Amino acid sequence: MDFWIVASLAAFFMGLSKGGMPIIAMLSVPLMALIMDPALAAGLLLPIYIVADWYTIYLFRKAFSVRNLKILIPAAFVGVVIGFLSVSHVPANALKLLLAAIGIYFVTDSVFKRLRRKQSPARPADVPRGAFWGTVAGLTSYIAHSGGPPYQVYILPQKLDKMTYLGTTAILFACINLMKVGPYIWAGQLTWDSFTQSLWLAPMALFGAWSGARISKILPERIFYLLIETALGLMSLKLLYEGLTG
């Protein structure tokens, strides 16, 4: 009984994040880690992520950045392949520390610019930066399930409108999560038993995604992006803590 209560909450929180409330996502895997091995928890949640991903695409299908997706999806695929080939050689804690440093630098820079009231012009999507950060996002998503920080470091300076940001994010991470299915099965993280459990939890994730989308659509754009930056900062601090403590 405890398993299903905790797992249902984790699925709901994950769905909320897919619907546009990113801070809540940080609770999903830690919650599941209370009752099972974190690697197996990630495997259990992957099919639920995929179900929520495609529902989120449906919700935000009217707005997305085609140019960004053309750059980021191939780059993320390269990152996933690198992650699969190097997962046994890359210390997870070192990767978490690197992600934490990237996120903390970006958020700190944004805060100081805001305090100085210095508005940076929007940066256009470009291949060199997109290829680099897209590859890092694919790699870190595969190894540490943390593709958000590198993606946000690339996408936030573009100052996309809220709905375009949500649509682009939904499509990109739906693709990345699909790329991870084969390797997860190969590694034994995703099994038939865990897949069956995921099916029972999927409705909670869909309800969470629907709820998150309703909230994100009514949030003012300034508050929405402040929420994104706050989530990035908190996620970075969490990764810093995990990287230092192991």
Side-chain angles (χ1 to χ4, degrees), residues 71-102:
I71 296 170
L72 290 168
I73 291 175
F77 176 76
V78 173
V80 169
V81 171
I82 294 172
F84 175 63
L85 295 176
S86 63
V87 65
S88 61
H89 306 291
V90 178
N93 289 333
L95 191 63
K96 289 178 179 180
L97 289 173
L98 176 61
L99 282 171
I102 292 170

Side-chain angles (χ1 to χ4, degrees), residues 169-182:
T169 304
I171 294 172
L172 174 64
F173 283 97
C175 292
I176 291 176
N177 285 327
L178 282 176
M179 295 171 195
K180 290 155 61 175
V181 171

Side-chain angles (χ1 to χ4, degrees), residues 3-4 7-8 10-12 14 32 36 39-52 181 184-185 189-207:
F3 168 82
W4 290 107
S8 296
F12 178 73
M14 182 271 294
M32 293 296 291
M36 63 190 303
L40 295 178
L44 173 64
L45 289 173
L46 182 60
I48 307 173
Y49 269 98
I50 292 171
V51 171
V181 171
Y184 270 45
I185 293 173
Q189 290 176 260
L190 181 57
T191 64
W192 179 253
D193 287 341
S194 67
F195 177 72
T196 304
Q197 292 172 329
S198 298
L199 292 180
W200 287 102
L201 295 169
M204 287 299 295
L206 292 174
F207 178 61

Side-chain angles (χ1 to χ4, degrees), residues 104-120 156-157 159 221-233:
I104 290 170
Y105 169 78
F106 179 82
V107 172
T108 303
D109 184 59
S110 296
V111 169
F112 276 113
K113 285 179 179 176
R114 194 174 290 114
L115 290 174
R116 297 197 305 266
R117 298 184 179 179
K118 179 182 178 182
Q119 293 293 325
S120 301
L156 289 181
K159 300 183 179 179
E221 197 151 305
R222 179 174 172 275
I223 295 177
F224 175 79
Y225 276 107
L226 184 62
L227 184 66
I228 297 290
E229 288 185 6
T230 302
L232 177 58

Side-chain angles (χ1 to χ4, degrees), residues 3 42 139 151 218:
F3 168 82
L139 170 65
Y151 166 72
I218 63 175

Side-chain angles (χ1 to χ4, degrees), residues 159-170:
K159 300 183 179 179
L160 302 175
D161 70 84
K162 180 175 63 175
M163 301 311 293
T164 301
Y165 169 87
L166 288 169
T168 305
T169 304

Side-chain angles (χ1 to χ4, degrees), residues 120-137:
S120 301
R123 298 189 65 167
D126 63 276
V127 174
R129 291 179 63 251
F132 175 76
W133 290 114
T135 301
V136 175

